[in-house]
Amino acid sequence: MYDLLLPKFVHTLELGAHDGWHAGLPLERLPEGPIQARCGTASPLLLVRALTPLFHRDVIVFLRERGADNLQAVPVALHTPAGVLHDWQAVNVVGRIPLASFALELPPVDTIPEPRRSAAQAAMEEAAPLLRILRQAPPPPRPSAPIARLAEGQHPLLIRSDVMAALDARFNLPVAGKVVHQVRFDDLRFSDFCTGTGFAALLAQSCPAP
């Protein structure tokens, strides 16, 4: 099963001409690094959102150790108020996974606490006709990539659920009595909040015609 991987949006991030590696397609030629980027945040989170996301090198190493061989990465010189940081890389995540290939594996709605449970239930009810089509269709190939792009919508990032749990345990650590979420995730049924496109609309793009 897969979840959304949600790099943090930083409105001051500037990547210039290199901002646009978001289709999940391989790049034949990577630019020479480091890419010059600017950010008004002195301490960026480990994943920074843009059309071309920035991943901290520790996250890249972590993902590659778990089989992610589909990351094309270029070093970035990130100019911040605290100085120039060299720990981030611009990452092209290669590969796209259709929502239909894992939509039936989503965890039961009753495992989601309120108040979000009601929104997830509404998303499932809206998508119910499409889920019935999936149940009656031949099972699609089962994806296995640790990280990829969703084939539908604007190709948001997906993270395999077991890898998500490992990322959470490694990088989201308690600090001063609260958990600092350096890496953020969400259930696909809340995609409208994160990507602007609802779960049912994404599934409609992915499902075979009835």
PDB file of all heavy atoms in Angstrom, residues 148-187:
ATOM      1  N   ALA A 148       7.676   6.628  -5.611  1.00  0.00           N
ATOM      2  CA  ALA A 148       7.359   6.860  -7.019  1.00  0.00           C
ATOM      3  C   ALA A 148       6.430   8.063  -7.094  1.00  0.00           C
ATOM      4  O   ALA A 148       6.106   8.696  -6.079  1.00  0.00           O
ATOM      5  CB  ALA A 148       6.699   5.624  -7.644  1.00  0.00           C
ATOM      6  N   ARG A 149       6.003   8.384  -8.319  1.00  0.00           N
ATOM      7  CA  ARG A 149       4.981   9.399  -8.530  1.00  0.00           C
ATOM      8  C   ARG A 149       3.640   8.709  -8.756  1.00  0.00           C
ATOM      9  O   ARG A 149       3.582   7.601  -9.293  1.00  0.00           O
ATOM     10  CB  ARG A 149       5.317  10.238  -9.764  1.00  0.00           C
ATOM     11  CG  ARG A 149       6.524  11.149  -9.611  1.00  0.00           C
ATOM     12  CD  ARG A 149       6.198  12.385  -8.844  1.00  0.00           C
ATOM     13  NE  ARG A 149       7.316  13.326  -8.760  1.00  0.00           N
ATOM     14  CZ  ARG A 149       7.236  14.507  -8.174  1.00  0.00           C
ATOM     15  NH1 ARG A 149       6.104  14.891  -7.615  1.00  0.00           N
ATOM     16  NH2 ARG A 149       8.281  15.301  -8.122  1.00  0.00           N
ATOM     17  N   LEU A 150       2.562   9.351  -8.341  1.00  0.00           N
ATOM     18  CA  LEU A 150       1.239   8.869  -8.703  1.00  0.00           C
ATOM     19  C   LEU A 150       1.030   9.128 -10.188  1.00  0.00           C
ATOM     20  O   LEU A 150       1.407  10.194 -10.702  1.00  0.00           O
ATOM     21  CB  LEU A 150       0.170   9.586  -7.881  1.00  0.00           C
ATOM     22  CG  LEU A 150      -1.270   9.070  -8.038  1.00  0.00           C
ATOM     23  CD1 LEU A 150      -1.403   7.667  -7.444  1.00  0.00           C
ATOM     24  CD2 LEU A 150      -2.262  10.013  -7.362  1.00  0.00           C
ATOM     25  N   ALA A 151       0.445   8.171 -10.883  1.00  0.00           N
ATOM     26  CA  ALA A 151       0.254   8.324 -12.326  1.00  0.00           C
ATOM     27  C   ALA A 151      -0.802   9.366 -12.658  1.00  0.00           C
ATOM     28  O   ALA A 151      -0.816   9.901 -13.770  1.00  0.00           O
ATOM     29  CB  ALA A 151      -0.130   6.979 -12.945  1.00  0.00           C
ATOM     30  N   GLU A 152      -1.682   9.673 -11.725  1.00  0.00           N
ATOM     31  CA  GLU A 152      -2.805  10.564 -11.989  1.00  0.00           C
ATOM     32  C   GLU A 152      -2.592  11.942 -11.368  1.00  0.00           C
ATOM     33  O   GLU A 152      -1.694  12.139 -10.543  1.00  0.00           O
ATOM     34  CB  GLU A 152      -4.107   9.958 -11.434  1.00  0.00           C
ATOM     35  CG  GLU A 152      -4.554   8.688 -12.140  1.00  0.00           C
ATOM     36  CD  GLU A 152      -3.783   7.448 -11.716  1.00  0.00           C
ATOM     37  OE1 GLU A 152      -3.442   7.331 -10.515  1.00  0.00           O
ATOM     38  OE2 GLU A 152      -3.507   6.594 -12.600  1.00  0.00           O
ATOM     39  N   GLY A 153      -3.469  12.874 -11.773  1.00  0.00           N
ATOM     40  CA  GLY A 153      -3.403  14.224 -11.223  1.00  0.00           C
ATOM     41  C   GLY A 153      -2.129  14.926 -11.630  1.00  0.00           C
ATOM     42  O   GLY A 153      -1.652  14.800 -12.754  1.00  0.00           O
ATOM     43  N   GLN A 154      -1.559  15.651 -10.699  1.00  0.00           N
ATOM     44  CA  GLN A 154      -0.305  16.366 -10.935  1.00  0.00           C
ATOM     45  C   GLN A 154       0.902  15.552 -10.478  1.00  0.00           C
ATOM     46  O   GLN A 154       1.949  16.099 -10.185  1.00  0.00           O
ATOM     47  CB  GLN A 154      -0.340  17.720 -10.218  1.00  0.00           C
ATOM     48  CG  GLN A 154      -1.417  18.656 -10.720  1.00  0.00           C
ATOM     49  CD  GLN A 154      -1.217  19.021 -12.185  1.00  0.00           C
ATOM     50  OE1 GLN A 154      -0.109  19.354 -12.607  1.00  0.00           O
ATOM     51  NE2 GLN A 154      -2.279  18.962 -12.963  1.00  0.00           N
ATOM     52  N   HIS A 155       0.725  14.237 -10.415  1.00  0.00           N
ATOM     53  CA  HIS A 155       1.803  13.299 -10.086  1.00  0.00           C
ATOM     54  C   HIS A 155       2.436  13.578  -8.732  1.00  0.00           C
ATOM     55  O   HIS A 155       3.660  13.750  -8.623  1.00  0.00           O
ATOM     56  CB  HIS A 155       2.873  13.296 -11.179  1.00  0.00           C
ATOM     57  CG  HIS A 155       2.326  13.186 -12.567  1.00  0.00           C
ATOM     58  ND1 HIS A 155       1.471  12.168 -12.942  1.00  0.00           N
ATOM     59  CD2 HIS A 155       2.485  13.971 -13.657  1.00  0.00           C
ATOM     60  CE1 HIS A 155       1.145  12.331 -14.221  1.00  0.00           C
ATOM     61  NE2 HIS A 155       1.729  13.416 -14.670  1.00  0.00           N
ATOM     62  N   PRO A 156       1.632  13.621  -7.661  1.00  0.00           N
ATOM     63  CA  PRO A 156       2.244  13.795  -6.333  1.00  0.00           C
ATOM     64  C   PRO A 156       3.114  12.591  -5.984  1.00  0.00           C
ATOM     65  O   PRO A 156       3.026  11.516  -6.584  1.00  0.00           O
ATOM     66  CB  PRO A 156       1.024  13.886  -5.404  1.00  0.00           C
ATOM     67  CG  PRO A 156      -0.068  13.168  -6.134  1.00  0.00           C
ATOM     68  CD  PRO A 156       0.169  13.440  -7.584  1.00  0.00           C
ATOM     69  N   LEU A 157       3.952  12.778  -4.986  1.00  0.00           N
ATOM     70  CA  LEU A 157       4.856  11.716  -4.559  1.00  0.00           C
ATOM     71  C   LEU A 157       4.125  10.669  -3.732  1.00  0.00           C
ATOM     72  O   LEU A 157       3.288  10.994  -2.879  1.00  0.00           O
ATOM     73  CB  LEU A 157       5.995  12.312  -3.728  1.00  0.00           C
ATOM     74  CG  LEU A 157       7.006  13.164  -4.498  1.00  0.00           C
ATOM     75  CD1 LEU A 157       7.895  13.936  -3.524  1.00  0.00           C
ATOM     76  CD2 LEU A 157       7.860  12.291  -5.405  1.00  0.00           C
ATOM     77  N   LEU A 158       4.488   9.403  -3.976  1.00  0.00           N
ATOM     78  CA  LEU A 158       3.969   8.283  -3.199  1.00  0.00           C
ATOM     79  C   LEU A 158       5.111   7.637  -2.430  1.00  0.00           C
ATOM     80  O   LEU A 158       6.242   7.577  -2.904  1.00  0.00           O
ATOM     81  CB  LEU A 158       3.360   7.224  -4.120  1.00  0.00           C
ATOM     82  CG  LEU A 158       2.120   7.585  -4.929  1.00  0.00           C
ATOM     83  CD1 LEU A 158       1.741   6.408  -5.820  1.00  0.00           C
ATOM     84  CD2 LEU A 158       0.969   7.965  -4.019  1.00  0.00           C
ATOM     85  N   ILE A 159       4.790   7.119  -1.257  1.00  0.00           N
ATOM     86  CA  ILE A 159       5.770   6.392  -0.468  1.00  0.00           C
ATOM     87  C   ILE A 159       5.126   5.082  -0.028  1.00  0.00           C
ATOM     88  O   ILE A 159       3.971   5.071   0.410  1.00  0.00           O
ATOM     89  CB  ILE A 159       6.244   7.226   0.750  1.00  0.00           C
ATOM     90  CG1 ILE A 159       7.390   6.535   1.488  1.00  0.00           C
ATOM     91  CG2 ILE A 159       5.105   7.554   1.680  1.00  0.00           C
ATOM     92  CD1 ILE A 159       8.714   6.700   0.814  1.00  0.00           C
ATOM     93  N   ARG A 160       5.829   3.964  -0.212  1.00  0.00           N
ATOM     94  CA  ARG A 160       5.277   2.676   0.205  1.00  0.00           C
ATOM     95  C   ARG A 160       5.091   2.681   1.724  1.00  0.00           C
ATOM     96  O   ARG A 160       5.939   3.215   2.454  1.00  0.00           O
ATOM     97  CB  ARG A 160       6.218   1.550  -0.224  1.00  0.00           C
ATOM     98  CG  ARG A 160       5.542   0.194  -0.375  1.00  0.00           C
ATOM     99  CD  ARG A 160       6.508  -0.809  -0.949  1.00  0.00           C
ATOM    100  NE  ARG A 160       7.602  -1.079  -0.005  1.00  0.00           N
ATOM    101  CZ  ARG A 160       8.804  -1.509  -0.365  1.00  0.00           C
ATOM    102  NH1 ARG A 160       9.092  -1.704  -1.647  1.00  0.00           N
ATOM    103  NH2 ARG A 160       9.735  -1.733   0.546  1.00  0.00           N
ATOM    104  N   SER A 161       4.011   2.103   2.192  1.00  0.00           N
ATOM    105  CA  SER A 161       3.619   2.281   3.588  1.00  0.00           C
ATOM    106  C   SER A 161       4.652   1.772   4.578  1.00  0.00           C
ATOM    107  O   SER A 161       4.864   2.379   5.635  1.00  0.00           O
ATOM    108  CB  SER A 161       2.265   1.608   3.833  1.00  0.00           C
ATOM    109  OG  SER A 161       1.265   2.209   3.039  1.00  0.00           O
ATOM    110  N   ASP A 162       5.324   0.668   4.265  1.00  0.00           N
ATOM    111  CA  ASP A 162       6.339   0.176   5.197  1.00  0.00           C
ATOM    112  C   ASP A 162       7.545   1.109   5.239  1.00  0.00           C
ATOM    113  O   ASP A 162       8.158   1.312   6.294  1.00  0.00           O
ATOM    114  CB  ASP A 162       6.758  -1.249   4.835  1.00  0.00           C
ATOM    115  CG  ASP A 162       7.410  -1.333   3.461  1.00  0.00           C
ATOM    116  OD1 ASP A 162       6.827  -0.804   2.490  1.00  0.00           O
ATOM    117  OD2 ASP A 162       8.491  -1.933   3.346  1.00  0.00           O
ATOM    118  N   VAL A 163       7.880   1.715   4.102  1.00  0.00           N
ATOM    119  CA  VAL A 163       8.974   2.677   4.062  1.00  0.00           C
ATOM    120  C   VAL A 163       8.562   3.954   4.791  1.00  0.00           C
ATOM    121  O   VAL A 163       9.363   4.592   5.473  1.00  0.00           O
ATOM    122  CB  VAL A 163       9.385   2.969   2.610  1.00  0.00           C
ATOM    123  CG1 VAL A 163      10.506   4.005   2.552  1.00  0.00           C
ATOM    124  CG2 VAL A 163       9.832   1.677   1.923  1.00  0.00           C
ATOM    125  N   MET A 164       7.286   4.335   4.654  1.00  0.00           N
ATOM    126  CA  MET A 164       6.773   5.487   5.391  1.00  0.00           C
ATOM    127  C   MET A 164       6.962   5.289   6.888  1.00  0.00           C
ATOM    128  O   MET A 164       7.428   6.194   7.601  1.00  0.00           O
ATOM    129  CB  MET A 164       5.291   5.699   5.086  1.00  0.00           C
ATOM    130  CG  MET A 164       4.673   6.861   5.855  1.00  0.00           C
ATOM    131  SD  MET A 164       2.894   6.731   6.067  1.00  0.00           S
ATOM    132  CE  MET A 164       2.804   5.448   7.318  1.00  0.00           C
ATOM    133  N   ALA A 165       6.601   4.106   7.382  1.00  0.00           N
ATOM    134  CA  ALA A 165       6.733   3.842   8.816  1.00  0.00           C
ATOM    135  C   ALA A 165       8.192   3.930   9.256  1.00  0.00           C
ATOM    136  O   ALA A 165       8.502   4.451  10.337  1.00  0.00           O
ATOM    137  CB  ALA A 165       6.148   2.465   9.143  1.00  0.00           C
ATOM    138  N   ALA A 166       9.095   3.441   8.409  1.00  0.00           N
ATOM    139  CA  ALA A 166      10.515   3.512   8.744  1.00  0.00           C
ATOM    140  C   ALA A 166      11.015   4.949   8.722  1.00  0.00           C
ATOM    141  O   ALA A 166      11.804   5.360   9.590  1.00  0.00           O
ATOM    142  CB  ALA A 166      11.315   2.650   7.770  1.00  0.00           C
ATOM    143  N   LEU A 167      10.585   5.731   7.737  1.00  0.00           N
ATOM    144  CA  LEU A 167      10.943   7.150   7.691  1.00  0.00           C
ATOM    145  C   LEU A 167      10.437   7.882   8.926  1.00  0.00           C
ATOM    146  O   LEU A 167      11.133   8.708   9.512  1.00  0.00           O
ATOM    147  CB  LEU A 167      10.363   7.800   6.437  1.00  0.00           C
ATOM    148  CG  LEU A 167      11.142   7.676   5.132  1.00  0.00           C
ATOM    149  CD1 LEU A 167      10.284   8.160   3.975  1.00  0.00           C
ATOM    150  CD2 LEU A 167      12.431   8.470   5.186  1.00  0.00           C
ATOM    151  N   ASP A 168       9.211   7.586   9.300  1.00  0.00           N
ATOM    152  CA  ASP A 168       8.610   8.233  10.459  1.00  0.00           C
ATOM    153  C   ASP A 168       9.420   7.941  11.719  1.00  0.00           C
ATOM    154  O   ASP A 168       9.717   8.839  12.516  1.00  0.00           O
ATOM    155  CB  ASP A 168       7.169   7.759  10.610  1.00  0.00           C
ATOM    156  CG  ASP A 168       6.428   8.481  11.718  1.00  0.00           C
ATOM    157  OD1 ASP A 168       6.325   9.718  11.664  1.00  0.00           O
ATOM    158  OD2 ASP A 168       5.951   7.809  12.660  1.00  0.00           O
ATOM    159  N   ALA A 169       9.804   6.672  11.885  1.00  0.00           N
ATOM    160  CA  ALA A 169      10.557   6.286  13.072  1.00  0.00           C
ATOM    161  C   ALA A 169      11.955   6.899  13.078  1.00  0.00           C
ATOM    162  O   ALA A 169      12.495   7.214  14.146  1.00  0.00           O
ATOM    163  CB  ALA A 169      10.648   4.761  13.152  1.00  0.00           C
ATOM    164  N   ARG A 170      12.531   7.083  11.901  1.00  0.00           N
ATOM    165  CA  ARG A 170      13.905   7.583  11.824  1.00  0.00           C
ATOM    166  C   ARG A 170      13.989   9.103  11.960  1.00  0.00           C
ATOM    167  O   ARG A 170      14.884   9.625  12.641  1.00  0.00           O
ATOM    168  CB  ARG A 170      14.518   7.147  10.484  1.00  0.00           C
ATOM    169  CG  ARG A 170      15.828   7.826  10.118  1.00  0.00           C
ATOM    170  CD  ARG A 170      16.960   7.476  11.071  1.00  0.00           C
ATOM    171  NE  ARG A 170      18.207   8.085  10.644  1.00  0.00           N
ATOM    172  CZ  ARG A 170      18.561   9.344  10.900  1.00  0.00           C
ATOM    173  NH1 ARG A 170      17.757  10.123  11.613  1.00  0.00           N
ATOM    174  NH2 ARG A 170      19.715   9.819  10.467  1.00  0.00           N
ATOM    175  N   PHE A 171      13.065   9.834  11.348  1.00  0.00           N
ATOM    176  CA  PHE A 171      13.241  11.280  11.223  1.00  0.00           C
ATOM    177  C   PHE A 171      12.229  12.119  12.009  1.00  0.00           C
ATOM    178  O   PHE A 171      12.460  13.308  12.210  1.00  0.00           O
ATOM    179  CB  PHE A 171      13.175  11.689   9.754  1.00  0.00           C
ATOM    180  CG  PHE A 171      14.322  11.156   8.943  1.00  0.00           C
ATOM    181  CD1 PHE A 171      14.125  10.160   7.995  1.00  0.00           C
ATOM    182  CD2 PHE A 171      15.606  11.638   9.127  1.00  0.00           C
ATOM    183  CE1 PHE A 171      15.178   9.669   7.245  1.00  0.00           C
ATOM    184  CE2 PHE A 171      16.669  11.157   8.383  1.00  0.00           C
ATOM    185  CZ  PHE A 171      16.454  10.161   7.443  1.00  0.00           C
ATOM    186  N   ASN A 172      11.116  11.554  12.426  1.00  0.00           N
ATOM    187  CA  ASN A 172      10.123  12.319  13.190  1.00  0.00           C
ATOM    188  C   ASN A 172      10.291  11.995  14.668  1.00  0.00           C
ATOM    189  O   ASN A 172       9.696  11.058  15.189  1.00  0.00           O
ATOM    190  CB  ASN A 172       8.707  11.998  12.707  1.00  0.00           C
ATOM    191  CG  ASN A 172       8.486  12.449  11.269  1.00  0.00           C
ATOM    192  OD1 ASN A 172       9.221  13.301  10.768  1.00  0.00           O
ATOM    193  ND2 ASN A 172       7.507  11.884  10.605  1.00  0.00           N
ATOM    194  N   LEU A 173      11.145  12.763  15.318  1.00  0.00           N
ATOM    195  CA  LEU A 173      11.565  12.442  16.671  1.00  0.00           C
ATOM    196  C   LEU A 173      11.030  13.446  17.684  1.00  0.00           C
ATOM    197  O   LEU A 173      10.874  14.628  17.378  1.00  0.00           O
ATOM    198  CB  LEU A 173      13.102  12.426  16.740  1.00  0.00           C
ATOM    199  CG  LEU A 173      13.790  11.470  15.745  1.00  0.00           C
ATOM    200  CD1 LEU A 173      15.304  11.614  15.846  1.00  0.00           C
ATOM    201  CD2 LEU A 173      13.374  10.043  16.002  1.00  0.00           C
ATOM    202  N   PRO A 174      10.749  12.981  18.909  1.00  0.00           N
ATOM    203  CA  PRO A 174      10.293  13.911  19.946  1.00  0.00           C
ATOM    204  C   PRO A 174      11.382  14.907  20.321  1.00  0.00           C
ATOM    205  O   PRO A 174      12.532  14.534  20.542  1.00  0.00           O
ATOM    206  CB  PRO A 174       9.968  12.992  21.127  1.00  0.00           C
ATOM    207  CG  PRO A 174       9.832  11.621  20.547  1.00  0.00           C
ATOM    208  CD  PRO A 174      10.753  11.589  19.368  1.00  0.00           C
ATOM    209  N   VAL A 175      11.008  16.171  20.362  1.00  0.00           N
ATOM    210  CA  VAL A 175      11.901  17.244  20.795  1.00  0.00           C
ATOM    211  C   VAL A 175      11.116  18.149  21.734  1.00  0.00           C
ATOM    212  O   VAL A 175      10.065  18.670  21.364  1.00  0.00           O
ATOM    213  CB  VAL A 175      12.439  18.056  19.594  1.00  0.00           C
ATOM    214  CG1 VAL A 175      13.304  19.212  20.091  1.00  0.00           C
ATOM    215  CG2 VAL A 175      13.241  17.160  18.656  1.00  0.00           C
ATOM    216  N   ALA A 176      11.621  18.305  22.942  1.00  0.00           N
ATOM    217  CA  ALA A 176      10.965  19.164  23.943  1.00  0.00           C
ATOM    218  C   ALA A 176       9.506  18.772  24.146  1.00  0.00           C
ATOM    219  O   ALA A 176       8.614  19.615  24.210  1.00  0.00           O
ATOM    220  CB  ALA A 176      11.076  20.630  23.543  1.00  0.00           C
ATOM    221  N   GLY A 177       9.275  17.464  24.238  1.00  0.00           N
ATOM    222  CA  GLY A 177       7.943  16.976  24.566  1.00  0.00           C
ATOM    223  C   GLY A 177       6.973  16.880  23.415  1.00  0.00           C
ATOM    224  O   GLY A 177       5.820  16.500  23.611  1.00  0.00           O
ATOM    225  N   LYS A 178       7.372  17.205  22.193  1.00  0.00           N
ATOM    226  CA  LYS A 178       6.482  17.073  21.043  1.00  0.00           C
ATOM    227  C   LYS A 178       7.254  16.479  19.878  1.00  0.00           C
ATOM    228  O   LYS A 178       8.488  16.509  19.845  1.00  0.00           O
ATOM    229  CB  LYS A 178       5.884  18.420  20.653  1.00  0.00           C
ATOM    230  CG  LYS A 178       6.893  19.447  20.168  1.00  0.00           C
ATOM    231  CD  LYS A 178       6.204  20.744  19.784  1.00  0.00           C
ATOM    232  CE  LYS A 178       7.219  21.778  19.278  1.00  0.00           C
ATOM    233  NZ  LYS A 178       6.541  23.043  18.887  1.00  0.00           N
ATOM    234  N   VAL A 179       6.520  15.920  18.942  1.00  0.00           N
ATOM    235  CA  VAL A 179       7.154  15.301  17.781  1.00  0.00           C
ATOM    236  C   VAL A 179       7.364  16.359  16.709  1.00  0.00           C
ATOM    237  O   VAL A 179       6.431  17.059  16.313  1.00  0.00           O
ATOM    238  CB  VAL A 179       6.289  14.150  17.225  1.00  0.00           C
ATOM    239  CG1 VAL A 179       6.906  13.609  15.937  1.00  0.00           C
ATOM    240  CG2 VAL A 179       6.166  13.039  18.257  1.00  0.00           C
ATOM    241  N   VAL A 180       8.594  16.509  16.256  1.00  0.00           N
ATOM    242  CA  VAL A 180       8.914  17.418  15.165  1.00  0.00           C
ATOM    243  C   VAL A 180       8.840  16.623  13.867  1.00  0.00           C
ATOM    244  O   VAL A 180       9.615  15.691  13.650  1.00  0.00           O
ATOM    245  CB  VAL A 180      10.313  18.032  15.348  1.00  0.00           C
ATOM    246  CG1 VAL A 180      10.660  18.916  14.155  1.00  0.00           C
ATOM    247  CG2 VAL A 180      10.366  18.833  16.640  1.00  0.00           C
ATOM    248  N   HIS A 181       7.897  16.976  13.010  1.00  0.00           N
ATOM    249  CA  HIS A 181       7.666  16.222  11.781  1.00  0.00           C
ATOM    250  C   HIS A 181       8.574  16.765  10.676  1.00  0.00           C
ATOM    251  O   HIS A 181       8.209  17.654   9.912  1.00  0.00           O
ATOM    252  CB  HIS A 181       6.188  16.307  11.368  1.00  0.00           C
ATOM    253  CG  HIS A 181       5.283  15.574  12.299  1.00  0.00           C
ATOM    254  ND1 HIS A 181       5.106  14.220  12.239  1.00  0.00           N
ATOM    255  CD2 HIS A 181       4.525  16.009  13.337  1.00  0.00           C
ATOM    256  CE1 HIS A 181       4.271  13.833  13.195  1.00  0.00           C
ATOM    257  NE2 HIS A 181       3.900  14.899  13.873  1.00  0.00           N
ATOM    258  N   GLN A 182       9.761  16.195  10.602  1.00  0.00           N
ATOM    259  CA  GLN A 182      10.681  16.559   9.539  1.00  0.00           C
ATOM    260  C   GLN A 182      10.240  15.979   8.195  1.00  0.00           C
ATOM    261  O   GLN A 182      10.581  16.488   7.140  1.00  0.00           O
ATOM    262  CB  GLN A 182      12.083  16.053   9.877  1.00  0.00           C
ATOM    263  CG  GLN A 182      12.744  16.767  11.041  1.00  0.00           C
ATOM    264  CD  GLN A 182      13.408  18.075  10.630  1.00  0.00           C
ATOM    265  OE1 GLN A 182      13.408  18.447   9.467  1.00  0.00           O
ATOM    266  NE2 GLN A 182      13.970  18.773  11.586  1.00  0.00           N
ATOM    267  N   VAL A 183       9.503  14.864   8.242  1.00  0.00           N
ATOM    268  CA  VAL A 183       8.980  14.222   7.034  1.00  0.00           C
ATOM    269  C   VAL A 183       7.491  14.006   7.244  1.00  0.00           C
ATOM    270  O   VAL A 183       7.070  13.439   8.252  1.00  0.00           O
ATOM    271  CB  VAL A 183       9.695  12.878   6.759  1.00  0.00           C
ATOM    272  CG1 VAL A 183       9.226  12.288   5.441  1.00  0.00           C
ATOM    273  CG2 VAL A 183      11.206  13.065   6.731  1.00  0.00           C
ATOM    274  N   ARG A 184       6.688  14.453   6.287  1.00  0.00           N
ATOM    275  CA  ARG A 184       5.228  14.453   6.453  1.00  0.00           C
ATOM    276  C   ARG A 184       4.576  13.510   5.445  1.00  0.00           C
ATOM    277  O   ARG A 184       5.049  13.356   4.325  1.00  0.00           O
ATOM    278  CB  ARG A 184       4.687  15.875   6.264  1.00  0.00           C
ATOM    279  CG  ARG A 184       5.277  16.876   7.249  1.00  0.00           C
ATOM    280  CD  ARG A 184       5.079  18.320   6.813  1.00  0.00           C
ATOM    281  NE  ARG A 184       3.687  18.683   6.671  1.00  0.00           N
ATOM    282  CZ  ARG A 184       3.104  19.015   5.534  1.00  0.00           C
ATOM    283  NH1 ARG A 184       3.794  19.007   4.396  1.00  0.00           N
ATOM    284  NH2 ARG A 184       1.841  19.349   5.497  1.00  0.00           N
ATOM    285  N   PHE A 185       3.457  12.899   5.881  1.00  0.00           N
ATOM    286  CA  PHE A 185       2.732  11.944   5.054  1.00  0.00           C
ATOM    287  C   PHE A 185       1.229  12.189   5.204  1.00  0.00           C
ATOM    288  O   PHE A 185       0.786  12.894   6.100  1.00  0.00           O
ATOM    289  CB  PHE A 185       3.011  10.501   5.503  1.00  0.00           C
ATOM    290  CG  PHE A 185       4.445  10.213   5.834  1.00  0.00           C
ATOM    291  CD1 PHE A 185       4.901  10.250   7.143  1.00  0.00           C
ATOM    292  CD2 PHE A 185       5.346   9.890   4.831  1.00  0.00           C
ATOM    293  CE1 PHE A 185       6.223   9.980   7.455  1.00  0.00           C
ATOM    294  CE2 PHE A 185       6.670   9.613   5.130  1.00  0.00           C
ATOM    295  CZ  PHE A 185       7.102   9.658   6.443  1.00  0.00           C
ATOM    296  N   ASP A 186       0.460  11.541   4.320  1.00  0.00           N
ATOM    297  CA  ASP A 186      -0.986  11.528   4.504  1.00  0.00           C
ATOM    298  C   ASP A 186      -1.601  10.391   3.711  1.00  0.00           C
ATOM    299  O   ASP A 186      -0.984   9.849   2.785  1.00  0.00           O
ATOM    300  CB  ASP A 186      -1.631  12.856   4.089  1.00  0.00           C
ATOM    301  CG  ASP A 186      -2.867  13.177   4.929  1.00  0.00           C
ATOM    302  OD1 ASP A 186      -3.432  12.250   5.551  1.00  0.00           O
ATOM    303  OD2 ASP A 186      -3.262  14.354   4.986  1.00  0.00           O
ATOM    304  N   ASP A 187      -2.809  10.042   4.084  1.00  0.00           N
ATOM    305  CA  ASP A 187      -3.600   9.025   3.405  1.00  0.00           C
ATOM    306  C   ASP A 187      -4.084   9.582   2.063  1.00  0.00           C
ATOM    307  O   ASP A 187      -4.403  10.770   1.959  1.00  0.00           O
ATOM    308  CB  ASP A 187      -4.798   8.667   4.316  1.00  0.00           C
ATOM    309  CG  ASP A 187      -5.590   7.484   3.829  1.00  0.00           C
ATOM    310  OD1 ASP A 187      -6.243   7.602   2.770  1.00  0.00           O
ATOM    311  OD2 ASP A 187      -5.593   6.443   4.521  1.00  0.00           O
TER     312      ASP A 187
END
